[in-house]
Amino acid sequence: MLNLHPHTKMTVDPFADTPGFQYPVGATVRACYPLSPKSKVPDSIFRPNYARESVSGTFWAYWEFLSSRNIKVNSEKEQEGVRKAAKLAREVLEIAASKVAPGVTTDEIDKVVFEEAIKRDCYPSPLGYHGYPKSVCTSVNEIICHGIPDQRPLEDGDIINIDVTLYHHGFHGDLNGTYPVGPKAEADEASMNLIKTARDCLDAAIAICGPGVPFAQIGKTIQPLAESRNTAVAKNWHGHGISNVFHSAPTIYHHKTKKAYGVMQPGNIFTIEPMLNAGTEWRDLSWPDDWTISTIDGARSAAAEETLLITETGVEILTAKGGPKHIDTREARAALGL
């Protein structure tokens, strides 16, 4: 059966009749296919291992995982490599965010990210990672993360998370932000508070980072703040180490857990990216595309992310607006006994 999508007569929802799958009650987002053809990266762009056509991308992604289980202390040269990639990623995110408006499709945003990455001599890190088909993740309304850009036009009142990672000359830089779409969204107090809470949780966690701080303290900082504002941390999704490898140790939990291990050291580089659901339900639902993750109850979700470097006195936000920004966290850590 051909399931015509309500947005246009030329698109379909491929998952409408998938056995065992059902969109959450009240969901506002449906898959809107066909996807546009895979973007072709110029031969001049240096690629990560998983994106080299001569070797299986899945093999290299798995190899990177196996080879990066230890928490890396980056050399000054490696730090500078990530710093450059992070700065470029911030530039591209700002450009992509400026295109957010009613009527714009997430596929159009993907094209902007791809084109701006190439202009900066960067490879868009998501493209081909474990088979991911696009250059950016666009997560709208109830989508928590990993939304695949497609033909759905953004609507006045939506919110959208744009997650950009760029690979520049051997190093990745990763960040995301959540944005209101149109005047209805900007006037929607609940949505704007959700977006602000995600950012506030990120900033609170950054403020206590520094040498000697257990990575577990990140979740201990985020979860109480999130829950005090009637939001739930999406517990299945985490931050991660990043450098010459896209995803590596440590796993950054955004909730309280005994699974978190390790203590921050100067030279550690990682992301913090709390994903928060409106209300108290933290569980999620995976779409049949094996990428898109939705809230289980159709509630909205928002996130914020930066790439961070631990220094001798605190933390450097490598993806900060306007360029890398250092924060001396000694007093904040001392006040918490860290």
Side-chain angles (χ1 to χ4, degrees):
M1 176 181 178
L2 184 65
N3 296 289
L4 292 179
H5 199 283
H7 286 291
T8 110
K9 293 182 180 179
M10 300 298 294
T11 57
V12 299
D13 175 1
F15 309 136
D17 295 323
T18 301
F21 174 73
Q22 187 173 357
Y23 291 106
V25 174
T28 61
V29 181
R30 304 285 192 277
C32 193
Y33 281 41
L35 299 181
S36 59
K38 182 179 178 180
S39 298
K40 182 172 176 53
V41 179
D43 293 339
S44 60
I45 301 295
F46 185 68
R47 292 160 165 75
N49 285 332
Y50 58 82
R52 296 177 188 174
E53 295 179 359
S54 60
V55 183
S56 165
T58 300
F59 168 82
W60 276 111
Y62 183 62
W63 177 86
E64 287 190 345
F65 168 76
L66 290 178
S67 65
S68 59
R69 288 178 289 180
N70 295 324
I71 301 174
K72 182 176 182 177
V73 175
N74 291 268
S75 67
E76 289 188 7
K77 182 178 180 180
E78 290 169 327
Q79 292 173 30
E80 185 55 35
V82 179
R83 187 176 288 111
K84 179 63 174 178
K87 181 177 182 294
L88 295 173
R90 166 57 72 177
E91 290 177 7
V92 172
L93 175 62
E94 295 296 324
I95 292 170
S98 73
K99 306 300 181 182
V100 169
V104 174
T105 67
T106 49
D107 186 66
E108 289 172 313
I109 293 174
D110 177 76
K111 286 181 170 61
V112 169
V113 169
F114 178 81
E115 291 169 0
E116 295 298 331
I118 299 305
K119 285 180 186 178
R120 289 163 175 77
D121 196 24
C122 292
Y123 183 92
S125 302
L127 187 62
Y129 186 73
H130 285 289
Y132 188 79
K134 293 294 178 179
S135 299
V136 66
C137 295
T138 52
S139 301
V140 177
N141 295 347
E142 67 270 12
I143 306 305
I144 298 172
C145 59
H146 304 160
I148 297 175
D150 64 12
Q151 306 306 321
R152 180 190 184 275
L154 294 173
E155 298 178 358
D156 190 4
D158 286 344
I159 62 174
I160 180 172
N161 179 271
I162 303 175
D163 193 339
V164 171
T165 312
L166 298 187
Y167 183 74
H168 180 72
H169 293 190
F171 298 95
H172 299 271
D174 186 7
L175 77 163
N176 73 53
T178 305
Y179 306 92
V181 181
K184 286 184 180 178
E186 293 171 356
D188 180 355
E189 184 175 346
S191 290
M192 295 305 292
N193 283 339
L194 179 64
I195 293 171
K196 183 177 186 299
T197 297
R199 183 69 225 189
D200 288 349
C201 284
L202 172 59
D203 289 340
I206 292 173
I208 56 88
C209 286
V213 176
F215 284 102
Q217 188 64 39
I218 293 171
K220 291 178 182 178
T221 300
I222 290 174
Q223 186 173 359
L225 177 56
E227 292 178 352
S228 73
R229 299 191 188 178
N230 194 34
T231 66
V233 176
K235 295 180 180 179
N236 289 331
W237 305 98
H238 320 111
H240 52 88
I242 188 168
S243 177
N244 57 314
V245 172
F246 193 172
H247 295 93
S248 62
T251 298
I252 304 298
Y253 294 93
H254 304 119
H255 63 284
K256 299 176 184 178
T257 176
K258 295 180 179 180
K259 293 180 180 179
Y261 70 92
V263 175
M264 299 177 198
Q265 300 179 59
N268 291 159
I269 300 177
F270 55 91
T271 71
I272 302 177
E273 45 188 303
M275 287 154 262
L276 306 183
N277 303 338
T280 59
E281 180 58 77
W282 63 266
R283 294 176 298 167
D284 57 57
L285 173 71
S286 179
W287 281 16
D289 59 23
D290 292 328
W291 282 106
T292 307
I293 305 297
S294 165
T295 58
I296 202 168
D297 58 358
R300 289 193 165 188
S301 187
E305 177 187 18
E306 304 279 11
T307 293
L308 309 167
L309 164 67
I310 299 302
T311 70
E312 294 290 345
T313 58
V315 60
E316 183 178 345
I317 308 172
L318 299 178
T319 44
K321 286 186 178 181
K325 175 184 178 183
H326 185 265
I327 301 175
D328 188 326
T329 63
R330 286 176 290 187
E331 288 188 11
R333 287 182 281 130
L336 292 173
L338 298 173

